[in-house]
Amino acid sequence: MTTNPNQPKIPLWRDDRFGKIAFQVIILVIVIAIISIFTMNLNQNLQRSGIRFGFGFLNSTAGFAIGESIIPYQPTDPYRQVLLAGLVNTLRVMFFGIILTTIVGIIAGISYFSSNWLVRQIGLVYVEIVRNTPLLLQLLFWYGIFLQLPSVSDRLGVFDAIFLTQRGIFIPWPSSSLIWVWLGFLVIAAIASFWIWKQRTKIMVEKGASGQPQLIALGIIALVSLLIILFGFGWEVPAITGTENNPVLRGGLRLTIEFSALLVGLVFYTAAYIAEIVRAGIQSVAKGQWEAARSLGLKPGLVMRLVVFPQALRVIIPPLNSQYLNLAKNSSLAIAVAYADLYNVANTTFNQSGRAVEVMVIIMATYLTINLIISLFMNFLNRRVQLQER
């Protein structure tokens, strides 16, 4: 492209490109100036208090115990160890919370479209009650419920495998030394099953074949996986030991009252919002898609699973990301039920060490990192389910 040498030059300050760049530079300078002012003010206040900003205190002895920890921790360990223990406890709540809240939310959202009147009303009442009451109140409610569980002597048992007591909830748990090998196999089996299922769908759509060989392969994988889960994990079932007057529960996995109350509260609260997202996503699917699927003779369950829900995912996943982020951030309310999460142990840490600024920086950086990882994964998933334009 050539320019006309006789064309008058536009003054720099009237050039649109210069204006856009200059505006961004000015905003950047203002932001840097504000951060610099806050930083200088912080340093001055710390100097007046005789405190020097730094993270060397993490090597000092913590000196306090916490209610529960997956990783080894003793009060004689340094602060970095107790913060790591709190982080692991937080990640445990987030991991199981996201899985369970997705399941409960999808079931509650689909219940809106059930042909059963009672199922529809139960889903509606659940969503309306949970969404219109504060999360903190719900956490305290569940904590109070779990505190009212009977003692070990009067325990509540489910098939003599799950026990609910004041000391916690005891459930069967794998004890095999090869657990990580079997888990790796199950992950590979899940990936292979997903690929075979996609190939079966492609063959059925493009070639009109039955896809029976692929279906048999999926059945074999499912059968082998089930056998591994039942017999390979070496399940350890909780059992009653001790005397009749002083029974003791041993074996399996013990879920503390604090962890259980926090997990149940977060799951049911977040699932109510996910149910509304699922409902909106399903309603966004054109009515013609429902009618076309029914005209093929598909049952209502298959219509939802094979036709409607896959299309609704394109609407569901973007707001679903926000609910996962909310669950991750709301887990910091664990302090209300005395669960030793990251915020809880960090609160004790800065009260003892006096390093409020450094501890808050650690907390903010940790939650920011976790939320960014969740967002990256959900954005990747969102791109996978979107329609690809040719």
Side-chain angles (χ1 to χ4, degrees):
M1 181 177 178
T2 59
T3 58
N4 186 359
N6 297 324
Q7 185 178 0
K9 293 183 178 181
I10 301 177
L12 187 62
W13 59 86
R14 296 181 60 185
D15 191 337
D16 290 340
R17 293 173 298 177
F18 173 78
K20 294 177 181 179
I21 296 174
F23 178 76
Q24 296 178 26
V25 171
I26 292 173
I27 295 298
L28 180 61
V29 170
I30 293 175
V31 171
I32 293 175
I34 293 174
I35 293 176
S36 300
I37 292 173
F38 283 137
T39 304
M40 291 174 58
N41 186 41
L42 175 62
N43 288 331
Q44 291 176 0
N45 290 333
L46 290 176
Q47 289 177 2
R48 292 194 192 100
S49 302
I51 301 174
R52 187 173 181 178
F53 184 84
F55 296 93
F57 75 97
L58 293 176
N59 297 321
S60 303
T61 301
F64 64 92
I66 59 177
E68 59 185 290
S69 176
I70 298 178
I71 64 174
Y73 168 74
Q74 298 294 331
T76 54
D77 292 333
Y79 283 119
R80 65 174 182 271
Q81 187 70 11
V82 71
L83 290 174
L84 180 60
L87 173 60
V88 173
N89 287 343
T90 295
L91 293 176
R92 180 171 62 150
V93 171
M94 291 180 184
F95 177 77
F96 290 107
I98 288 175
I99 294 175
L100 295 176
T101 198
T102 303
I103 297 173
V104 175
I106 291 176
I107 293 174
I110 293 178
S111 69
Y112 280 103
F113 305 91
S114 174
S115 57
N116 188 298
W117 179 86
L118 181 60
V119 172
R120 290 199 311 272
Q121 296 306 312
I122 290 176
L124 177 62
V125 171
Y126 156 67
V127 171
E128 291 302 321
I129 291 177
V130 173
R131 290 184 65 204
N132 291 286
T133 52
L135 173 57
L136 182 59
L137 178 63
Q138 294 182 39
L139 291 177
L140 295 176
F141 168 79
W142 286 110
Y143 189 46
I145 292 294
F146 282 109
L147 286 177
Q148 297 304 315
L149 289 174
S151 62
V152 176
S153 302
D154 302 322
R155 59 197 173 275
L156 296 176
V158 181
F159 304 115
D160 288 331
I162 301 175
F163 298 95
L164 288 74
T165 71
Q166 291 179 346
R167 292 192 59 247
I169 300 174
F170 294 80
I171 61 175
W173 194 250
S175 60
S176 173
S177 58
L178 300 176
I179 181 65
W180 294 110
V181 176
W182 297 128
L183 285 176
F185 177 84
L186 292 179
V187 171
I188 295 173
I191 296 173
S193 299
F194 178 75
W195 183 82
I196 293 174
W197 181 266
K198 290 190 65 176
Q199 292 299 313
R200 179 175 182 268
T201 304
K202 183 178 179 181
I203 291 173
M204 293 175 64
V205 172
E206 295 181 355
K207 300 182 179 180
S210 64
Q212 187 174 4
Q214 292 79 13
L215 188 61
I216 294 174
L218 289 172
I220 294 173
I221 293 176
L223 178 60
V224 174
S225 300
L226 180 61
L227 292 175
I228 289 176
I229 293 174
L230 292 178
F231 303 105
F233 280 20
W235 294 96
E236 184 181 55
V237 180
I240 303 295
T241 61
T243 62
E244 184 177 352
N245 296 328
N246 187 26
V248 178
L249 272 168
R250 298 190 185 276
L253 176 66
R254 172 177 170 260
L255 304 177
T256 63
I257 295 299
E258 294 77 16
F259 172 80
S260 302
L262 177 64
L263 182 62
V264 172
L266 288 176
V267 166
F268 279 99
Y269 180 80
T270 312
Y273 289 89
I274 292 179
E276 286 293 281
I277 293 171
V278 171
R279 178 189 61 80
I282 293 175
Q283 288 181 333
S284 69
V285 178
K287 187 178 180 181
Q289 297 291 320
W290 295 73
E291 295 174 349
R294 293 192 187 101
S295 68
L296 295 175
L298 294 178
K299 295 181 179 179
L302 291 176
V303 172
M304 179 64 68
R305 182 167 60 89
L306 299 178
V307 179
V308 177
F309 197 75
Q311 297 183 65
L313 283 176
R314 302 182 182 98
V315 178
I316 291 173
I317 289 180
L320 189 63
N321 182 25
S322 298
Q323 294 306 318
Y324 288 163
L325 298 181
N326 287 337
L327 186 146
K329 291 180 288 189
N330 288 337
S331 66
S332 60
L333 290 175
I335 193 172
V337 294
Y339 177 67
D341 76 320
L342 176 63
Y343 182 79
N344 195 348
V345 299
N347 183 57
T348 306
T349 297
F350 76 68
N351 282 333
Q352 288 192 178
S353 64
R355 299 286 185 168
V357 177
E358 292 89 338
V359 172
M360 287 301 148
V361 169
I362 293 174
I363 295 175
M364 289 189 295
T366 303
Y367 279 101
L368 176 62
T369 303
I370 293 172
N371 285 343
L372 288 177
I373 293 174
I374 295 174
S375 294
L376 286 174
F377 175 77
M378 294 302 296
N379 289 335
F380 168 78
L381 185 61
N382 185 42
R383 289 193 297 268
R384 296 289 297 178
V385 301
Q386 294 301 317
L387 291 173
Q388 301 296 326
E389 297 182 0
R390 296 182 178 178

